[in-house]
Amino acid sequence: RICRDIDIFKLIFVGGGNTTTTTQAMTRFRRQPRRDGRVLDRRRVTIILISVLSALFVGVNYLSNNGDDYHYHESRNLDKTAALRSNTSDNQISASKKEEDGMKRNNSLLNLHPASTENLPLCSATRISLTDKISTSFDETKPTIFTDWSPAALENWKDRLSFIQRFGSHPQYVKGGDVQPLQNARGEKCTARTSILVDTMRERFDNDENNVAGDVHGRQMKDDLLFFTNDVENPTFMESILKDVSVPAPISQHSAWAGENMGFRVFSAMEQGSSHPFHFHEAAWLGQVSGARLWYILPPGTSKKVVGAKVNGCDYFTGAAALPSGAKACIQRSGEVFYLPPSWLHATCALEPFSVGVGGQGGSPKGYEQDFPVPTVPNEWTEAKERAELAKCSAAVNKQTQTDGAKIVSVKEKKDDEQQNWKWFDGNIGEYYDKLERDEHAKRNPNVITSYAVHRWMGPQRKTLDHYILIRKAIYEMVLGRLPPPGEEVTSTGEESYPLRVFDGGCGLGAGLMWFEEHERTWSMTGHTISQEQYTWITKDLPEHKFNVRLLTYDKPLGENESDDKYHAIYSIEASIHSPNLSNTIKAWSDALEPGGVIVIIDDFLSVGVSRDDPDVDLFAKSWIANSVHSTTEVADMAEKNNMALVQDRDLGSQYSIAKLNYRNKAPKLRDEAGRVHQGWLGSKARQKLFLDGKITYRMIVLQKHGDISIEAEHATCAAVATSHEDETLAVEIRPTLMTGKGKEGGAQQECLSGWYCCGKGEEYWDDLAATRTESTKFLTLPRDLFGDYLTSFAKHLTEFYQTYPADYPGQDNKKGIFLDIGGTGSVASGMTMVTSKFAHFAGPLDYWVLDSEPSAKKLSNAIVCDIDDCPAAQDCSYDVTFSFTVLEHAARPWKSFDTIARITKKGGLTLHLVPWSYQWHATPADNYRFSHTALTTLLQDRGFEVLDVGYDICNQPELVRQKRKDEHFEVIWLTYIVGRKL
């Protein structure tokens, strides 16, 4: 008996505390024959001892495996009675109880793959505890993990059963690994109640033998079953969910979700080993309620070549797939919120069963193809019927994924081959581009033109902006008879400007219109698109702009009523090929041109000798909706018939290595890949094949209308400040004081520049040096009149300036001028406290406005939010006073900052600036430049300003600061100030 007992102990402990092994041992022990009462008592004692030791060992083993690494442990005390009170069916409870048998699979993948865990390239995401007294601001440009998140959801639905009890009756879409609803054989989107969906996900996980050992790499993305929804698609469900979920203050204050930019809320539930492959979108956050999630992240702009093919994100962890170069891994556990900035690429892997998160994304679900109608489940469906329908959906998907889409070789076969997966639009170019934009919307960044300038790459830097440079050069040479500024340089404010009227025929997402508006500010730009999605992007998503865009065919360039003035130039990039009749389009464009005007077309053209009836050309024409595949010779004939001539024909394909840059000189495979089934992807592959076969070429042609063009250079007129021509003027005096900036009136007065420095020591410094100097070096010596007090100088010149205004200013129209404080809110992103009125007292009779790149400034009614280096939102000649206070050293290109200042300041207006000369490094958020008095003088004089005062103010640390505080701060700093007037 003792030997038998020892064998049982071995069985238990060799089993490593595994409960299944323990149960087997206890069963084996109980089955031994009883002989007498004493033996029975000893056996009972032995059973108790074994049970206690086994329980202790199981507990210690569990803690050693999990420790403090996880806050999540699913309860397996499934209370059937409680479930029945919550209207959860016996079948659901029975299925949920199977989870008890699946305890061996409860270990995180981190434990199942210790070598992979040890070699994880961990990310350096900032970690912020929500229990600390932190500012509601954080660096929105960096991935951040907020810890100690404690919503009610952590307790109220921390496991499957409690989740089903609360939300089991809500209908849901059943989605696959591509986050799109599965469809049944009838083409209907599959739906199921939450309880059925959650249980089916668990069953699929339990039945996957790979999951026993954590070998999740055996699962393909198409096999994943995801529970993913949002508050637009399923508002009732999300309303219930969000009652238990709090949004951390730093997240709720983020510009992507503050005010009108609410974005949308999302819910995500995955089983262990499920994944979202690499993708990117607007800013997003996700709070982990249960389970754990592994994030792989890559910075914005990472090329598709680096990312590689889309795979299950867990494959990177297990080693089944190579991790893209530069990717970092962030582990998110329950009770943590992960924030990801816009355009960061990311893939996720569920490390544990029932990994649940709730969060939000910027933008709209429509942009991510997640704007389906609210899901429903027929009331008459029983649970058995619902499960049967769900099984049919899975079967339909499995059958679909077994089809071979690689045999697509002609358009005819798309009708004959039942295995064809391409999505066709029957020649409707509007719907074609609407769907394409919805597919790709998440990749766009309205603040980065290259993200929506969708053309062929050109040049060594693989740029899509070279098209605009070429078009501008052609317009300058053919219309203006001169060369443009080199490359991407903006036409200088000081140069002669030519107010051309330019039309974009097929403007797409507005990239060309935006580029030309930024580089040629006097041009009047108009564009047409027939895609509602493109039109919405331009009018709703793009930054504020002046150009005009219409939802209209480009065959009507002057509008429906032809009321516009004629254009000096028309351009079209990869759009003319879609024309139903290019001859009619050329005629319409020619009729809309001034004499001497030009049409610039960059597109694909048929090579000489190639027939339009070629099968490859036919496939391209139908899949790309290329209704007008012509040679340049044919287009030249069309031009001659419409009073135009072909004056330039450039082979961009050869000149810019199109085949190498865009196609790697490789022929394509005509099949759908990675879920891209839009016919346009087939068209792009057919185009690639034609280009490499030499049947089409990529060219830029210029057509010029006969006649002489007459355009005179226009010297832009600039509004002037109000000046009195009478004896009586405005009685104003500006006080040389500093304010805290908190409150409408500027807040309280402060004595010094900051807690570190007091200024106004310039003259004192010069006098002391003159009296005590022992050396005199000419090239080091500055005259005394360059040393002063910046506050006194600013107040003096502002007072004198305002006293030139009429006594009754602002007059009968009551329209005041504006004092513009550049950078006037402080660097909130760097942890500084936001100020709103620090120099409001300097505005005197004017309205006080701020210009800042801080997203938090959007909350202010008197703010322009932009970068001073390039700010189209600030109108030309619109500000009486432009002012900055220790701001321009942070500009990336201060010469461009002064370009903007020169452009927006009124004629006769003042500009005043204080910048550091000798000063410690202070990255708030960047620190780039120091300015001498000669640098500031040159920057203003070169831009049409008269310098009224320039000099240095010197600031010291007060005695108490020197005694008690010490860090990188200099003991003495030099500040440079300047006052100028625009001529």
Side-chain angles (χ1 to χ4, degrees):
R1 187 172 65 248
I2 293 173
C3 292
R4 187 181 68 242
D5 293 348
I6 291 173
D7 288 339
I8 293 170
F9 269 96
K10 286 181 180 179
L11 185 60
I12 293 171
F13 286 102
V14 169
N18 185 298
T19 52
T20 303
T21 309
T22 304
T23 303
Q24 292 172 353
M26 301 307 296
T27 302
R28 174 179 165 185
F29 187 86
R30 285 193 295 268
R31 287 176 180 171
Q32 298 302 316
R34 301 179 185 180
R35 293 180 178 169
D36 55 59
R38 288 184 305 156
V39 172
L40 182 61
D41 290 341
R42 284 197 299 271
R43 286 175 180 165
R44 286 174 177 167
V45 170
T46 305
I47 291 171
I48 293 171
L49 179 60
I50 291 172
S51 300
V52 170
L53 290 175
S54 178
L56 285 172
F57 186 85
V58 170
V60 170
N61 186 52
Y62 179 80
L63 289 175
S64 68
N65 283 336
N66 295 277
D68 292 331
D69 283 346
Y70 303 102
H71 306 294
Y72 161 67
H73 174 62
E74 286 191 297
S75 169
R76 287 171 174 75
N77 181 19
L78 304 178
D79 187 343
K80 184 173 181 178
T81 305
L84 288 172
R85 286 198 299 266
S86 299
N87 297 320
T88 305
S89 72
D90 287 350
N91 287 340
Q92 292 169 27
I93 295 301
S94 175
S96 296
K97 280 184 67 65
K98 292 179 183 178
E99 199 161 35
E100 186 172 6
D101 299 327
M103 287 183 65
K104 59 188 176 183
R105 289 184 286 270
N106 187 43
N107 281 331
S108 168
L109 294 181
L110 297 175
N111 293 331
L112 295 170
H113 294 269
S116 297
T117 302
E118 187 170 341
N119 295 323
L120 269 178
L122 293 177
C123 69
S124 56
T126 304
R127 297 183 72 86
I128 300 176
S129 173
L130 295 173
T131 60
D132 296 339
K133 294 182 178 179
I134 60 171
S135 167
T136 57
S137 65
F138 64 101
D139 191 342
E140 299 178 3
T141 65
K142 296 180 179 179
T144 304
I145 295 176
F146 295 95
T147 62
D148 302 308
W149 182 53
S150 55
L154 290 180
E155 290 299 324
N156 291 348
W157 31 285
K158 60 186 178 182
D159 54 43
R160 287 189 186 86
L161 178 61
S162 56
F163 183 82
I164 288 174
Q165 288 173 338
R166 295 176 72 89
F167 310 112
S169 61
H170 288 276
Q172 307 290 345
Y173 283 113
V174 182
K175 298 183 179 181
D178 58 356
V179 203
Q180 295 294 301
L182 304 182
Q183 294 186 4
N184 58 26
R186 301 183 298 274
E188 300 166 338
K189 293 181 176 64
C190 298
T191 60
R193 276 183 283 268
T194 300
S195 56
I196 301 297
L197 176 56
V198 170
D199 207 41
T200 302
M201 291 169 61
R202 181 201 53 74
E203 286 178 350
R204 179 174 291 199
F205 171 77
D206 282 349
N207 293 332
D208 189 341
E209 291 300 323
N210 290 319
N211 289 326
V212 176
D215 294 331
V216 298
H217 61 268
R219 185 184 308 158
Q220 301 295 318
M221 285 192 299
K222 63 182 176 59
D223 296 325
D224 268 356
L225 197 62
L226 301 180
F227 182 175
F228 189 86
T229 190
N230 61 72
D231 58 354
V232 176
E233 169 188 296
N234 204 336
T236 305
F237 169 72
M238 289 301 295
E239 182 180 1
S240 300
I241 287 287
L242 294 173
K243 290 178 181 178
D244 287 343
V245 175
S246 59
V247 183
I251 296 294
S252 62
Q253 297 299 317
H254 187 288
S255 57
W257 299 288
E260 297 179 357
N261 302 317
M262 291 301 293
F264 60 102
R265 301 289 181 263
V266 298
F267 173 88
S268 170
M270 298 192 294
E271 284 298 340
Q272 186 182 64
S274 290
S275 162
H276 289 276
F278 269 112
H279 63 287
F280 65 92
H281 42 62
E282 295 293 326
W285 67 275
L286 190 77
Q288 194 74 9
V289 176
S290 68
R293 198 174 303 242
L294 181 62
W295 296 74
Y296 287 104
I297 59 176
L298 284 164
T302 302
S303 70
K304 292 181 180 178
K305 182 178 180 180
V306 171
V307 176
K310 288 191 174 185
V311 300
N312 184 310
C314 298
D315 285 359
Y316 301 129
F317 177 72
T318 61
L323 184 65
S325 175
K328 298 296 183 182
C330 302
I331 299 173
Q332 181 191 17
R333 302 178 173 92
S334 62
E336 294 181 344
V337 176
F338 190 78
Y339 162 77
L340 202 65
S343 302
W344 276 71
L345 287 90
H346 55 286
T348 59
C349 167
L351 294 171
E352 299 179 7
F354 200 57
S355 288
V356 175
V358 181
Q361 284 182 208
S364 164
K366 189 175 184 180
Y368 309 105
E369 293 258 304
Q370 294 293 315
D371 59 335
F372 312 109
V374 176
T376 59
V377 174
N379 292 329
E380 64 274 14
W381 279 12
T382 62
E383 179 183 325
K385 169 69 173 176
E386 200 169 333
R387 289 181 180 274
E389 288 295 321
L390 185 53
K392 291 178 182 177
C393 285
S394 299
V397 170
N398 290 334
K399 181 178 180 180
Q400 183 180 7
T401 56
Q402 292 169 2
T403 63
D404 178 12
K407 297 181 179 179
I408 304 169
V409 294
S410 71
V411 176
K412 181 178 183 299
E413 289 188 16
K414 84 179 181 66
K415 297 177 180 178
D416 300 337
D417 190 348
E418 294 181 354
Q419 298 179 4
Q420 165 63 272
N421 290 327
W422 295 104
K423 171 66 176 176
W424 293 83
F425 296 89
D426 297 324
N428 189 321
I429 194 68
E431 291 183 6
Y432 171 98
Y433 274 112
D434 282 346
K435 179 62 167 65
L436 197 60
E437 170 54 19
R438 287 194 294 270
D439 289 346
E440 302 295 304
H441 181 84
K443 301 177 181 179
R444 320 290 191 209
N445 183 341
N447 297 310
V448 181
I449 291 181
T450 51
S451 75
Y452 58 96
V454 188
H455 318 303
R456 244 69 64 88
W457 285 328
M458 296 204 304
Q461 297 180 345
R462 299 163 69 92
K463 295 169 64 177
T464 57
L465 304 183
D466 282 2
H467 301 71
Y468 312 134
I469 297 172
L470 290 172
I471 291 170
R472 177 165 74 162
K473 187 172 184 292
I475 293 174
Y476 263 78
E477 291 175 348
M478 306 308 300
V479 177
L480 300 178
R482 58 192 289 258
L483 291 175
E488 291 192 61
E489 282 191 18
V490 177
T491 300
S492 173
T493 307
E495 294 184 27
E496 290 183 330
S497 57
Y498 295 84
L500 301 185
R501 295 182 296 279
V502 180
F503 177 70
D504 186 334
C507 63
L509 296 165
L513 296 169
M514 186 64 77
W515 190 92
F516 281 111
E517 181 167 300
E518 291 179 357
H519 291 76
E520 295 291 342
R521 299 186 187 281
T522 62
W523 289 12
S524 174
M525 304 294 302
T526 301
H528 284 188
T529 176
I530 57 174
S531 165
Q532 178 65 58
E533 294 294 331
Q534 292 179 347
Y535 179 78
T536 300
W537 163 268
I538 295 172
T539 56
K540 302 295 185 182
D541 294 335
L542 286 187
E544 185 177 350
H545 50 264
K546 298 179 183 177
F547 62 77
N548 180 36
V549 65
R550 301 186 183 106
L551 186 62
L552 190 64
T553 172
Y554 55 46
D555 283 351
K556 296 183 178 181
L558 299 179
E560 286 283 9
N561 301 318
E562 299 191 356
S563 56
D564 291 356
D565 291 331
K566 291 187 176 182
Y567 300 103
H568 299 104
I570 293 174
Y571 70 87
S572 178
I573 305 174
E574 300 179 15
S576 66
I577 200 167
H578 295 306
S579 171
N581 187 315
L582 188 58
S583 181
N584 291 344
T585 300
I586 295 295
K587 181 180 187 308
W589 289 356
S590 176
D591 291 345
L593 275 180
E594 295 279 5
V598 295
I599 297 172
V600 185
I601 300 175
I602 297 178
D603 218 322
D604 296 290
F605 293 90
L606 202 62
S607 297
V608 176
V610 177
S611 170
R612 174 61 180 78
D613 296 327
D614 183 294
D616 291 337
V617 176
D618 185 61
L619 173 62
F620 167 61
K622 293 181 179 179
S623 56
W624 193 248
I625 313 188
N627 303 306
S628 293
V629 186
H630 296 284
S631 68
T632 56
T633 302
E634 293 172 327
V635 177
D637 291 341
M638 298 175 194
E640 285 295 337
K641 295 176 182 178
N642 290 284
N643 197 28
M644 304 188 74
L646 175 65
V647 295
Q648 192 175 121
D649 183 358
R650 295 179 62 173
D651 182 1
L652 301 183
S654 299
Q655 184 179 351
Y656 286 90
S657 304
I658 297 298
K660 180 180 179 181
L661 289 180
N662 294 267
Y663 309 134
R664 303 179 189 174
N665 293 319
K666 293 182 180 179
K669 296 179 180 179
L670 301 181
R671 66 181 181 217
D672 60 308
E673 295 176 352
R676 288 179 165 181
V677 296
H678 187 290
Q679 72 172 75
W681 296 112
L682 174 60
S684 68
K685 292 172 181 293
R687 179 179 65 178
Q688 177 180 348
K689 184 176 187 302
L690 286 174
F691 188 86
L692 293 173
D693 289 345
K695 294 181 179 180
I696 61 173
T697 60
Y698 192 61
R699 314 183 78 84
M700 182 181 85
I701 62 172
V702 181
L703 312 175
Q704 187 163 33
K705 190 171 182 177
H706 298 306
D708 296 326
I709 197 161
S710 176
I711 302 175
E712 294 184 1
E714 186 176 273
H715 298 276
T717 59
C718 190
V721 298
T723 304
S724 175
H725 299 289
E726 307 295 335
D727 293 335
E728 293 187 13
T729 58
L730 200 61
V732 174
E733 183 177 358
I734 301 301
R735 296 174 289 111
T737 56
L738 284 174
M739 311 297 286
T740 61
K742 299 177 181 178
K744 292 184 178 179
E745 304 301 324
Q749 184 173 332
Q750 63 184 52
E751 295 299 323
C752 294
L753 175 75
S754 68
W756 285 90
Y757 300 109
C758 292
C759 301
K761 313 293 185 182
E763 293 180 351
E764 178 183 317
Y765 163 84
W766 196 95
D767 291 341
D768 177 71
L769 180 60
T772 60
R773 70 166 61 247
T774 60
E775 309 291 334
S776 182
T777 305
K778 186 175 181 180
F779 62 77
L780 296 178
T781 306
L782 292 169
R784 189 179 191 278
D785 60 7
L786 275 178
F787 292 86
D789 181 338
Y790 76 88
L791 266 180
T792 301
S793 177
F794 286 176
K796 171 182 176 292
H797 286 285
L798 285 169
T799 297
E800 293 174 355
F801 176 67
Y802 294 144
Q803 287 179 356
T804 65
Y805 281 52
D808 63 345
Y809 183 83
Q812 294 182 352
D813 62 1
N814 200 34
K815 186 176 182 181
K816 292 183 178 182
I818 297 175
F819 178 102
L820 186 65
D821 185 353
I822 299 165
T825 66
S827 183
V828 178
S830 303
M832 300 171 66
T833 302
M834 184 176 183
V835 295
T836 58
S837 57
K838 189 172 182 65
F839 291 99
H841 62 295
F842 275 11
L846 307 177
D847 285 334
Y848 177 74
W849 278 65
V850 296
L851 182 153
D852 213 312
S853 59
E854 283 284 347
S856 56
K858 291 179 180 179
K859 304 173 186 176
L860 304 178
S861 60
N862 62 331
I864 301 169
V865 181
C866 69
D867 187 336
I868 186 62
D869 282 359
D870 184 13
C871 182
Q875 300 296 310
D876 296 356
C877 301
S878 298
Y879 305 93
D880 293 45
V881 179
T882 47
F883 171 87
S884 73
F885 189 84
T886 61
V887 168
L888 297 179
E889 71 270 24
H890 304 293
R893 298 169 183 81
W895 53 93
K896 288 193 171 185
S897 302
F898 280 97
D899 283 344
T900 301
I901 290 166
R903 176 177 62 83
I904 67 178
T905 305
K906 285 183 179 179
K907 182 179 180 181
L910 277 192
T911 193
L912 309 92
H913 306 281
L914 183 73
V915 289
W917 170 237
S918 174
Y919 201 87
Q920 62 271 354
W921 165 261
H922 59 299
T924 54
D927 189 10
N928 300 317
Y929 294 93
R930 298 294 180 265
F931 302 84
S932 67
H933 68 288
T934 52
L936 288 181
T937 299
T938 301
L939 285 166
L940 284 189
Q941 288 180 343
D942 284 356
R943 288 161 177 79
F945 286 90
E946 171 192 10
V947 174
L948 303 180
D949 192 13
V950 65
Y952 298 97
D953 197 345
I954 295 178
C955 314
N956 297 332
Q957 290 183 353
E959 185 64 28
L960 188 62
V961 173
R962 286 200 301 272
Q963 291 176 358
K964 296 190 174 183
R965 304 175 71 181
K966 187 172 181 65
D967 62 3
E968 287 80 5
H969 282 81
F970 294 179
E971 287 190 8
V972 178
I973 61 172
W974 286 41
L975 303 177
T976 317
Y977 60 89
I978 193 166
V979 181
R981 178 172 55 227
K982 186 173 177 179
L983 299 175

